[in-house]
Amino acid sequence: MSNLYCIKGDILYTKDFGSFETIESGYILIEDSKVKGVYKNLPEKFLKVKVTDYKNSLIIPGLVDLHLHAPQFPNIGLGLDKELIPWLETYTFPEESKYDDIEYSKKVYSKLIKEIWKYGTTRCCVFATIHKESCKLLIELFNTSGLGAYVGKVNMDYDSPINLLEDTDNSINDTEELLKEYRDKFPLVKPIITPRFVPSCSDKLLKSLGELAIKYNVPVQSHLSENRGEIKMVADRYPNEPNYASVYNSSNLLGQTKTIMAHCIHLSDEEITLLSNKNVYVAHCPTSNVNLSSGIAAIRKLINNGVKVGLATDISGGHTLSLIEVMAYTMQMSNLKWIESNYQDAPLTTAEMFYLATKGGGNFFGSVGSFEEGYDFDALVIDDSKEEPFNYLSLEERLQKFIYSGDYKKIKARYINGNIVNEPNL
Ligand SMILES: [Zn+2]
């Protein structure tokens, strides 16, 4: 027998890029884990279905974080007066080398997942470290939490600090072991192939990871064109490749299976076309991009050229795990891009930005990030009743207030894949 239930409240979501669907005091009908319908008035045949009435609360899709580094959680807020490469060398690499210690890993990762939950993120794509056992632990902890995640063991065998430098064959074998063990083990938590970025991988490793992606049909995540120094390193090493993106493409790591590339700030027009043709998702990381003086990604241009985009916190280049704050930064950075582009790249509207934070990134996980029929039911219930509006506010305006307040404490319930998910007991 199917499990049918209903929740009631002020519903707001996006179906298409640029427009909100809103129903005040409406119903979402859920069958098993999926949305069956959204109604202003419940059809008669469903009148006997149990309704949870969230009264005047907003109900929105869960937030999707397309890119973050779990082991960098202890470093949030540190060293953000540096650019990418010195920041990596001073803060990130020393911290990441600690995760061969499983007790330390457990301490950090348990707290991290609770924080991700706290801010209303329901699905995320996560870099672990090179260490196989602590990566397994992270996958297991995510599964226990009820959150959805792709988790990747990082691969590094080239031009990296000695305590993070892998033997190439070990790196490949450990990755394959993780894929075999976790590819089908959990419904909401899956492994993902995670070369750190081209500068820290040998050509043999990149090619082998591409082969594994295809062999096991698993997705890929990495970094692309974050910083000009990084781009020059790649260009110097691959003089015969036309650009940075094509290095990944030559190794079957760019859209041969589902792929996320983080940052994508300094892309050439040829690279934008390549990303679009290959259906690559760009993880837009506005906080990190400004903190590490990397640049302002041309999100409007990417979208106009058919590139898929989602939002990401990118801790700890980003200084917050809150996608609520990242949504506000996305708006602010798009305003700056408008000025920087001499008023060519129009700023994002709230509806456009919210699409990126929900359905834009959610589509990487399947039918996620909307309340359309057949979508996995991921939702946040936001109680903004303590706000005292001086004037009537539309649902869109209430969402704007929530985003710019950054107040995660207003989230009073979280649903993931049809289930209420309470604070993880890790
Ligand atoms: Zn990153």
Side-chain angles (χ1 to χ4, degrees):
M1 212 176 80
S2 72
N3 173 24
L4 206 60
Y5 66 97
C6 204
I7 70 169
K8 186 179 180 192
D10 293 335
I11 300 161
L12 183 147
Y13 64 103
T14 56
K15 196 156 81 180
D16 302 310
F17 181 69
S19 58
F20 279 117
E21 311 290 322
T22 60
I23 304 181
E24 285 193 43
S25 199
Y27 299 83
I28 306 177
L29 184 68
I30 299 111
E31 184 169 32
D32 298 322
S33 60
K34 297 191 188 305
V35 176
K36 193 171 170 67
V38 179
Y39 311 97
K40 175 66 188 166
N41 298 300
L42 207 53
E44 206 173 320
K45 61 178 171 178
F46 300 125
L47 287 179
K48 287 198 176 134
V49 172
K50 181 175 178 277
V51 177
T52 303
D53 188 353
Y54 287 111
K55 297 226 159 36
N56 301 307
S57 293
L58 281 172
I59 302 174
I60 64 171
L63 304 175
V64 180
D65 188 343
L66 275 192
H67 181 81
L68 70 98
H69 296 262
Q72 296 176 24
F73 179 54
N75 279 354
I76 281 186
L78 297 181
L80 297 176
D81 53 356
K82 299 184 188 305
E83 282 193 61
L84 176 66
I85 304 297
W87 170 80
L88 283 171
E89 288 166 352
T90 313
Y91 285 97
T92 308
F93 291 152
E95 179 62 29
E96 288 196 13
S97 67
K98 297 178 185 168
Y99 290 78
D100 58 347
D101 177 341
I102 209 76
E103 282 309 309
Y104 184 71
S105 307
K106 185 155 196 277
K107 201 164 105 185
V108 173
Y109 289 164
S110 302
K111 177 76 175 141
L112 167 81
I113 291 170
K114 287 183 192 181
E115 289 282 300
I116 293 172
W117 172 90
K118 183 176 94 177
Y119 290 118
T121 299
T122 47
R123 314 257 180 165
C124 52
C125 294
V126 182
F127 281 51
T129 58
I130 60 166
H131 309 98
K132 181 179 68 182
E133 292 307 325
S134 72
C135 183
K136 288 185 180 183
L137 173 73
L138 185 56
I139 292 173
E140 299 279 348
L141 289 171
F142 264 113
N143 179 60
T144 305
S145 76
L147 299 180
Y150 280 104
V151 179
K153 186 204 102 63
V154 170
N155 303 96
M156 305 167 71
D157 74 332
Y158 189 89
D159 197 18
S160 299
I162 190 73
N163 48 4
L164 286 175
L165 187 69
E166 295 179 286
D167 169 79
T168 306
D169 289 334
N170 288 345
S171 182
I172 297 163
N173 293 338
D174 286 355
T175 303
E176 186 161 18
E177 181 184 322
L178 277 158
L179 298 182
K180 282 182 177 166
E181 187 170 344
Y182 288 103
R183 193 171 41 136
D184 300 314
K185 187 168 181 185
F186 300 129
L188 298 183
V189 186
K190 307 274 183 190
I192 181 167
I193 290 181
T194 307
R196 176 170 217 112
F197 62 166
V198 168
S200 62
C201 297
S202 69
D203 210 44
K204 181 184 173 192
L205 180 58
L206 290 172
K207 293 262 183 322
S208 303
L209 293 176
E211 285 167 18
L212 288 179
I214 289 169
K215 181 177 175 188
Y216 293 97
N217 190 27
V218 286
V220 172
Q221 61 180 355
S222 194
H223 299 91
L224 176 62
S225 286
E226 177 175 2
N227 170 286
R228 293 193 190 280
E230 167 211 6
I231 295 165
K232 186 173 182 312
M233 287 162 85
V234 176
D236 289 347
R237 206 174 118 198
Y238 289 94
N240 296 323
E241 289 281 3
N243 50 54
Y244 190 166
S246 67
V247 179
Y248 288 117
N249 193 34
S250 297
S251 298
N252 290 324
L253 293 167
L254 196 85
Q256 286 75 14
T257 60
K258 265 191 319 187
T259 302
I260 298 171
M261 287 289 159
H263 304 290
C264 298
I265 300 168
H266 307 287
L267 299 177
S268 65
D269 287 349
E270 291 72 26
E271 287 177 297
I272 292 174
T273 303
L274 183 60
L275 261 54
S276 174
N277 290 342
K278 294 285 188 172
N279 288 316
V280 172
Y281 287 72
V282 168
H284 177 42
C285 313
T287 49
S288 167
N289 293 351
V290 70
N291 286 336
L292 298 176
S293 304
S294 300
I296 311 176
I299 297 307
R300 171 70 65 191
K301 184 176 177 185
L302 291 174
I303 290 167
N304 284 349
N305 283 280
V307 178
K308 297 174 168 28
V309 179
L311 302 187
T313 59
D314 188 29
I315 63 153
S316 64
H319 60 279
T320 173
L321 258 179
S322 169
L323 268 169
I324 309 164
E325 285 185 55
V326 167
M327 286 196 279
Y329 270 85
T330 300
M331 299 298 284
Q332 291 167 339
M333 294 292 270
S334 88
N335 292 346
L336 289 177
K337 192 69 188 175
W338 184 47
I339 300 165
E340 192 197 56
S341 68
N342 204 16
Y343 304 100
Q344 294 300 304
D345 292 358
L348 296 171
T349 64
T350 310
E352 289 172 335
M353 177 279 296
F354 191 67
Y355 178 96
L356 304 183
T358 54
K359 190 174 174 180
N363 279 345
F364 188 79
F365 292 79
S367 294
V368 169
S370 177
F371 295 147
E372 292 157 68
E373 186 180 354
Y375 270 64
D376 293 0
F377 183 61
D378 290 10
L380 305 180
V381 178
I382 297 160
D383 178 4
D384 59 352
S385 60
K386 289 204 179 70
E387 295 268 330
E388 285 187 37
F390 298 103
N391 299 293
Y392 168 80
L393 295 177
S394 67
L395 300 194
E396 176 177 346
E397 288 169 331
R398 285 167 57 193
L399 179 72
Q400 290 173 343
K401 286 254 186 201
F402 170 65
I403 290 168
Y404 283 93
S405 77
D407 189 357
Y408 64 86
K409 292 188 184 123
K410 289 177 182 157
I411 305 172
K412 68 175 187 187
R414 296 148 178 86
Y415 288 81
I416 302 176
N417 202 35
N419 296 313
I420 286 195
V421 175
N422 294 318
E423 183 176 11
N425 182 19
L426 301 174

